[in-house]
Amino acid sequence: MPLSSSQQIVLASSNLGKIKEIQAILAGHLIVPQSVFNVIDAEETGSTFVENAIIKARNAALHCKLPSIADDSGLFVDALKGAPGVISARYAGVGASDQDNVLKLLQELEGIPDEQRTARFICVMVFMEHAEDPFPVIAQGVWEGRILNHAIGTNGFGYDPVFWVPEHKCASAELSATVKNSISHRGQALRSLTTLIKAREL
Ligand code: ITT
């Protein structure tokens, strides 16, 4: 019963923004961030979100001897042919801050009109029962929006201040955590993941 309320599941992420969102959606489950077990981040050597999510989940499951969940996510900007994509966390270079990445994105899009600034967040969420699990559970979510010309709002993390959410007519960083989780790529992926895990247990 890997998703029972008493089963510890290690969350293979070091991103505090993500950890908060995932723990809120999986409230009622024992989701423990990998930092509690001193897990060292795996190198994200994959060229796809799926590969990187599996690398992270396997690394955490191996070190903790526990089931694990990992999220690999990023931003696709149409005018930049899908960049920053899988390298969203390090778009402005290794060790770049959220602010560095946002600044680089705004610079790359300078002069591009609003209607051509379409973009989407992608999330792939993986569950592995153990490090050698040959049948990881994989779910994904996509959240459509547009890149603003300047940053607005202080909630969330990453590119949230420049991601315009058409259905709420505001930046993602202006949404409450609850509203963001109810519509975001991560919220979609996690809800789908839990359904798939339950189906596998039948
Ligand atoms: P972990 O690998 O430790 O989980 P990370 O930040 O390196 O953390 P990723 O490799 O999956 O994670 O990179 C995802 C990046 O995409 C993240 O750092 C943000 O810049 C961006 N991103 C993903 N989801 C986002 C969201 O909901 N809001 C804003 N930016 C997001």
Side-chain angles (χ1 to χ4, degrees):
M1 293 288 282
L3 266 193
S4 72
S5 56
S6 57
Q7 168 68 61
Q8 274 197 333
I9 299 171
V10 58
L11 176 51
S13 174
S14 300
N15 180 320
L16 293 179
K18 277 187 192 181
I19 292 170
K20 266 200 225 164
E21 291 182 6
I22 293 168
Q23 282 184 321
I25 296 171
L26 294 182
H29 296 286
L30 259 177
I31 307 296
V32 187
Q34 64 178 13
S35 60
V36 169
F37 302 96
N38 298 317
V39 174
I40 295 167
D41 283 344
E43 212 185 322
E44 294 179 34
T45 51
S47 55
T48 63
F49 292 105
V50 172
E51 287 167 291
N52 284 334
I54 289 175
I55 288 170
K56 292 189 235 185
R58 187 182 287 131
N59 179 59
L62 184 67
H63 282 82
C64 305
K65 310 275 179 276
L66 285 172
S68 66
I69 286 179
D71 156 312
D72 199 56
S73 48
L75 181 67
F76 264 59
V77 179
D78 292 319
L80 301 177
K81 300 190 175 80
V86 287
I87 62 150
S88 291
R90 47 186 195 281
Y91 189 40
V94 175
S97 67
D98 285 349
Q99 267 183 328
D100 296 334
N101 288 330
V102 164
L103 197 65
K104 171 158 181 181
L105 180 65
L106 291 179
Q107 281 166 354
E108 296 289 331
L109 288 174
E110 221 171 279
I112 306 280
D114 286 354
E115 64 276 13
Q116 289 172 31
R117 296 171 79 100
T118 47
R120 63 206 54 83
F121 277 123
I122 310 274
C123 176
V124 172
M125 197 71 73
V126 163
F127 172 82
M128 294 183 78
E129 212 159 330
H130 52 79
E132 284 84 40
D133 188 345
F135 190 35
V137 183
I138 302 173
Q140 60 185 50
V142 179
W143 192 21
E144 298 285 342
R146 187 164 55 71
I147 305 302
L148 290 159
N149 290 294
H150 57 274
I152 313 175
T154 53
N155 298 337
F157 66 97
Y159 299 92
D160 281 331
V162 289
F163 188 76
W164 175 254
V165 182
E167 58 266 55
H168 287 273
K169 296 191 172 34
C170 68
S172 173
E174 295 179 288
L175 295 175
S176 70
T178 310
V179 171
K180 182 183 171 190
N181 269 341
S182 71
I183 54 176
S184 75
H185 52 317
R186 184 162 299 103
Q188 294 171 37
L190 255 187
R191 283 185 288 276
S192 161
L193 189 82
T194 50
T195 305
L196 290 169
I197 293 169
K198 280 184 196 136
R200 195 171 80 161
E201 285 168 9
L202 290 177

